[in-house]
Amino acid sequence: MSDNVAEFLSKQGIKKFKSGVKVAFERRGVKALAATAVLVGAFAACSDVSVSDSAEMLKPKTTYAIKENGDTLCAYQAIPVSEKSYERLQKLVNNATRSETGCAVLTALAKQGTALCVEWTGFGSYGYFNPSENAISLNKWASDSQLQSTLIHEGRHVMQCARGAKVEETRDIASNIMTTRLREADAYAVATRFAFEMDKAGDAEPLNTLKSTNKETTSAYARAESKHGAGSPQALKEAMLSWFDDKDYVEQYDDKVVSAWEDVMKKDSLPALKKYSVKKFNADSLLQTVCLWDGCAYAGTDGALLKTPRTAYLCEGVFKRVKEAGDVLRGKTAGAVSDNSAENFFVSKYGRVENKTYRQKAAQNKAFAVKAVAKGR
């Protein structure tokens, strides 16, 4: 997730959104959202080389992903921040070829020309994908087992972007919230599939690490795999859906999206604001665009899956902020533009999701008020 939330929806920085990875530590009982560093200019600072050497080291170098049998899987672009980090990156990439999922993601990265590097990305982050630079940066402070799954997670974000699964300023707030959520849920599902494959290939470390931080997701995947078969679409689907069950973590992503939305509403003028919220949420299209693996829409084609209390809830605090920002939008445009899309989320209060959306709850409260007034006459 981007450090600068203003960049998230601004016309200058919409493409600079960086996807985070769940961190391994706890903060007040809530998994903290990955705090990422800006890729540009970060290589020299805190790297294994001096600043004078960094300019040369920043140049991407064509490197080959080599499988265990010595065959070449693909050529990819690596940024050799230092000799040590370059060797470590090659080890991570080559090891990932032991997995079918790993091979698929690496091949996609090669096709997109995405550059990879291991460097310092800040505390609390395993790494991130920067679309504006088309680069994945893996944090050197993390262990190899942590970075192994992170490489696949962030590689999955590259695949999502290539298919057009992006946050856009012209879409309503519900679309951007759900797009951000589903991208993360899907990336976790694919990284989980990868970890299970690596375990079967003899490397249990990625799965053990994932279990320690994503117990619910790995358990959901294991149950579905046992029932439907190894690597089945159903296993990916169940792992993806389990991501939504961690409401505290989901809320942290929502907070970043809404913070950016609030910032835009405060700063942008009428001409710019008129183009916001034009495109509406198309759940069918989003589901099929994001949750696609090997040509299969593993979560199905019915977007109703993204409109249930399990997937489409919004905590009251976040909803209140969205509503206030929507009031600003409506006021600045003299009513020409409005965005009430968040009203279609289900009410979430103190971690409990109700069976009514905010729109339904408002209608119910209004009916109660009218009835009370009539009764008092």
Side-chain angles (χ1 to χ4, degrees), residues 154-174:
E154 300 306 325
R156 180 57 173 173
H157 285 318
V158 174
M159 298 170 74
Q160 293 165 349
C161 281
R163 292 198 304 273
K166 302 175 183 179
V167 171
E168 295 181 14
E169 59 190 8
T170 55
R171 291 177 178 166
D172 59 34
I173 189 65

Side-chain angles (χ1 to χ4, degrees), residues 4-19:
N4 185 357
V5 294
E7 287 185 345
F8 186 72
L9 291 172
S10 70
K11 52 185 173 296
Q12 294 87 2
I14 186 66
K15 295 181 179 179
K16 294 183 180 179
F17 172 63
K18 298 181 281 293
S19 304

Side-chain angles (χ1 to χ4, degrees), residues 197-247:
E197 290 176 352
M198 291 295 286
D199 182 56
K200 291 169 185 173
D203 184 357
E205 287 306 308
L207 182 57
N208 290 336
T209 299
L210 207 58
K211 283 180 177 179
S212 68
T213 56
N214 302 273
K215 184 177 179 181
E216 299 83 0
T217 301
T218 52
S219 294
Y221 187 91
R223 287 193 300 270
E225 195 174 61
S226 176
K227 183 177 180 179
H228 300 286
S232 63
Q234 292 90 340
L236 274 174
K237 178 181 178 180
E238 291 307 313
M240 180 273 290
L241 288 173
S242 72
W243 183 88
F244 290 89
D245 296 335
D246 189 344
K247 296 179 179 60

Side-chain angles (χ1 to χ4, degrees), residues 256-331:
K256 289 294 184 181
V257 177
V258 175
S259 292
W261 180 245
E262 291 171 324
D263 195 57
V264 166
M265 293 304 104
K266 292 175 183 176
K267 294 182 178 180
D268 276 12
S269 58
L270 180 61
L273 290 174
K274 280 190 173 181
K275 66 183 179 181
Y276 291 120
S277 302
V278 175
K279 296 179 182 178
K280 305 304 177 184
F281 180 39
N282 186 319
D284 291 351
S285 176
L286 179 62
L287 186 67
Q288 294 173 59
T289 299
V290 176
C291 300
L292 186 71
W293 183 260
D294 196 24
C296 171
Y298 69 78
T301 59
D302 188 354
L305 185 70
L306 302 179
K307 299 179 180 181
T308 71
R310 185 182 186 184
T311 56
Y313 58 84
L314 196 65
C315 78
E316 284 191 324
V318 173
F319 175 75
K320 181 180 179 182
R321 291 167 54 199
V322 171
K323 191 174 185 303
E324 290 172 350
D327 291 340
V328 173
L329 175 63
R330 187 165 47 254

Side-chain angles (χ1 to χ4, degrees), residues 1-9 13 16-20 33-40 42 120-125 127-130 139 253 255-257 259-260 263:
M1 187 65 73
S2 175
D3 287 321
N4 185 357
V5 294
E7 287 185 345
F8 186 72
L9 291 172
K16 294 183 180 179
F17 172 63
K18 298 181 281 293
S19 304
L33 182 66
T36 60
V38 178
L39 185 63
V40 179
W120 173 250
T121 67
F123 292 107
S125 168
Y128 60 82
F129 165 50
N130 186 336
N139 201 332
Y253 272 88
D255 175 74
K256 289 294 184 181
V257 177
S259 292
D263 195 57

